[in-house]
Amino acid sequence: MIYNEFQNLKLPALGYGGMRLPVDEKTEKIDQEKVNEIVDYAMANGVNYFDTAFFYHAGESERALGEALSKYPRETWFLANKFPGNFIEYKDGKLHMDVTAMGMEKRTYNTAKEVFERQLDNCGVEYFDFYMLHNVAETTYDLYTDEEFAIVDYLLEEKRAGRIKHFGFSAHGRYETIDKFLDHYSCFEFTMIQLNYLDWTLQEAGKKYEVITKHNVPVFIMEPVRGGLLAAPGKDAEALLKAARPNDTPASWAFRFVQSLPNACTTISGMTTMEQLAENIETYNNPDLMPESEKKILEQVVDGMASFIPCTSCRYCCGICPKQLDIPMLIATYNEADHGLTWYVEDVLSSLADDKKPQACIACGVCNPLCPQDIDIPDVLTKFCKLLEDKKGA
C-alpha cells in the first residue's frame, strides 16, 4: 500500500468510503457480515482509513463501520466523519434538522452538540481522527460562517478537548466559494473534494485542487471513479484504454490519474464488493504515475462522455422528494436511454409502479439545492419523459 505523509501520520493513499456499503438484496439493509469481511480485508492490506457520514445509508453507515472496526485496537485505524450542515435549516430562532424525512428515526436535532454526540455514539468511539463540515457550498456558506450559530467554534472546542483529532471540510461548491471559505478561516487542516478525470474540467475540479493547494491545505479526494461511471465508461472508451494498457482496468486509470496529483493525500472510494476492494488495493500497491501521453487519452475518453448527466448516486435528493422517487436510478436510466432505448431501460421502467416513474415528478424543485452536482433534477426528468414519448411515437 502506498502511504502519504499527513502531519505526523502516515495515511494510506486509498481509503474506504461508507456511502455504498453492501446491502442485503431482500431487506435492502446493510449486510453487516459482508461489511465485516470487507473491513477485515482492508485492514489486512493496509487500508486503515474509513470515511462515513451522518446520513449515509439512512444513518446506518456509522453504526455498521463502527461495529466492524470495534474488534481492532483503536490506534490502528482512522475514522472520518462529517457534520451534516448541508441538511440543517434555521427555524424558530434555532438550528433545526428533521431526520425523519431522511428515512431515520422520528427525531429533530437543534444543536451541533446533539448531532456530534449522536455520531460518536453511533460509531461507538470516543473521538474522530478526522472530522469535516459536510459540503461547504454556496447553499451552506452562510450557515457555516454565521457567528451566532458558531458551528465551527463548537467543533474547534471539541478538537481542543481531543474528540476531534484533525478538522477539515468536504466541498462540492465552486472553486471561488472554497477559496473564500479558506480565506475566512485558517483552522482547517484538510479539504475533501470530488475529483476525477471527468470532473477535472466538467466541474472545474482542477481549479478547486489548485485553490486548495494555494492555501497549503492537503487535498483528500472523493468520487475518484464517479460513482462507478469511470469503471465502465463505455465500449469506445474502454477500447481506447485497453489499446494503451492492455492489462489495466478502466477503474485503475481513474485511480492512477488522482495518484499523480502531488497534493492528493488520500483517496476515498466507496467499494461495495470484495472484488472492487481487491482490485483497487492492487492498483495502490505500487506507485504508477500517469504520464502526459496517457492523460491525453483520458481527454479523448471525456470527449465521448460529455453528454452524461453527472449523478454520483449520493441519494441526498431521495429523502426530501415528496413522491419518494429513486432519483439516482431514474437519472442513470435516462443516461442509458439517451444513448438508445435498450432492453435494459425497458426492463427497468416496466418494473416500476406508475407513481415511481419519471412521469411522477411534480417538478417542485426541493431536491435541487441538495444536489452536490448542481443537476436540475426536475428538468432532467422532464427531458426523460419527453424522450420516452418520442421513442414511443417513433
Side-chain angles (χ1 to χ4, degrees):
M1 174 56 57
I2 304 167
Y3 290 90
N4 293 319
E5 299 287 337
F6 178 86
Q7 299 184 20
N8 62 336
L9 303 174
K10 285 190 174 181
L11 297 185
L14 177 66
Y16 185 82
M19 191 169 77
R20 300 182 180 92
L21 298 176
V23 298
D24 183 280
E25 292 183 0
K26 293 181 179 179
T27 66
E28 296 186 353
K29 299 292 186 182
I30 292 174
D31 189 323
Q32 188 65 52
E33 184 176 344
K34 287 184 178 179
V35 173
N36 294 345
E37 292 173 356
I38 285 175
V39 167
D40 288 345
Y41 189 90
M43 290 289 291
N45 288 275
V47 178
N48 64 341
Y49 183 103
F50 299 87
D51 175 277
T52 186
F54 192 68
F55 283 112
Y56 290 174
H57 286 275
E60 289 300 303
S61 173
E62 292 177 328
R63 180 200 55 77
L65 281 180
E67 180 176 329
L69 288 165
S70 63
K71 64 190 282 189
Y72 297 98
R74 182 63 183 89
E75 69 275 8
T76 63
W77 42 272
F78 304 105
L79 183 61
N81 210 333
K82 310 175 189 76
F83 179 79
N86 50 331
F87 290 101
I88 288 177
E89 59 185 31
Y90 185 60
K91 188 174 182 180
D92 299 327
K94 57 185 177 181
L95 298 179
H96 177 86
M97 182 172 69
D98 184 356
V99 300
T100 310
M102 303 305 295
M104 298 171 67
E105 79 276 25
K106 189 174 182 179
R107 178 175 174 179
T108 59
Y109 293 81
N110 300 119
T111 68
K113 181 176 177 61
E114 287 180 70
V115 176
F116 186 75
E117 295 288 354
R118 179 59 186 270
Q119 289 181 290
L120 288 172
D121 184 60
N122 283 349
C123 295
V125 297
E126 295 182 353
Y127 65 89
F128 293 117
D129 302 276
F130 295 85
Y131 196 79
M132 292 163 262
L133 301 176
H134 203 158
N135 189 18
V136 170
E138 293 69 42
T139 55
T140 59
Y141 185 91
D142 289 344
L143 174 74
Y144 285 141
T145 56
D146 192 294
E147 294 182 2
E148 179 184 354
F149 300 154
I151 292 172
V152 171
D153 289 342
Y154 165 71
L155 294 174
L156 286 174
E157 288 179 12
E158 295 293 359
K159 185 175 187 296
R160 287 188 288 271
R163 300 209 294 177
I164 294 172
K165 302 301 182 182
H166 300 285
F167 188 34
F169 66 91
S170 71
H172 288 282
R174 295 189 296 270
Y175 71 91
E176 299 97 335
T177 303
I178 296 172
D179 191 23
K180 182 181 175 183
F181 197 67
L182 287 170
D183 280 335
H184 188 87
Y185 290 112
S186 60
C187 58
F188 294 110
E189 301 168 78
F190 66 99
T191 299
M192 185 163 71
I193 59 170
Q194 177 172 317
L195 195 158
N196 52 67
Y197 68 79
L198 178 61
D199 287 323
W200 187 256
T201 53
L202 185 64
Q203 289 196 14
E204 296 187 314
K207 291 183 178 180
K208 297 176 188 180
Y209 172 85
E210 291 169 0
V211 159
I212 298 165
T213 301
K214 178 192 72 174
H215 285 273
N216 296 314
V217 174
V219 174
F220 287 26
I221 292 172
M222 57 180 156
E223 299 290 356
V225 291
R226 218 16 161 76
L229 176 62
L230 302 184
K235 292 181 179 179
D236 292 342
E238 290 176 34
L240 279 172
L241 302 179
K242 189 66 69 176
R245 293 176 67 108
N247 297 322
D248 287 11
T249 64
S252 71
W253 278 79
F255 284 112
R256 288 178 55 247
F257 175 82
V258 296
Q259 273 184 36
S260 302
L261 299 170
N263 194 33
C265 188
T266 191
T267 297
I268 313 304
S269 181
M271 297 164 278
T272 306
T273 68
M274 189 72 77
E275 292 75 18
Q276 292 170 345
L277 177 61
E279 177 187 323
N280 296 342
I281 286 174
E282 181 65 27
T283 301
Y284 276 86
N285 274 341
N286 295 290
D288 188 4
L289 303 185
M290 181 172 287
E292 289 300 319
S293 59
E294 292 181 357
K295 292 178 183 179
K296 294 293 185 184
I297 295 172
L298 290 181
E299 289 176 8
Q300 296 179 55
V301 171
V302 171
D303 287 342
M305 298 176 66
S307 62
F308 277 86
I309 304 300
C311 175
T312 65
S313 298
C314 69
R315 307 190 69 81
Y316 293 168
C317 54
C318 294
I320 199 80
C321 176
K323 303 295 288 186
Q324 294 296 292
L325 299 180
D326 189 337
I327 295 169
M329 180 273 294
L330 292 175
I331 291 177
T333 309
Y334 172 73
N335 280 333
E336 185 75 23
D338 200 31
H339 291 76
L341 193 59
T342 64
W343 62 268
Y344 169 78
V345 175
E346 294 172 358
D347 277 0
V348 170
L349 294 177
S350 64
S351 70
L352 298 176
D354 287 344
D355 63 351
K356 300 302 178 186
K357 293 180 179 179
Q359 294 90 335
C361 174
I362 59 175
C364 64
V366 297
C367 51
N368 279 354
L370 294 180
C371 180
Q373 315 308 323
D374 292 325
I375 299 169
D376 186 340
I377 295 169
D379 182 63
V380 171
L381 296 184
T382 297
K383 289 177 179 176
F384 195 1
C385 294
K386 185 177 186 308
L387 176 65
L388 293 173
E389 286 297 321
D390 291 345
K391 296 284 187 180
K392 183 178 179 181

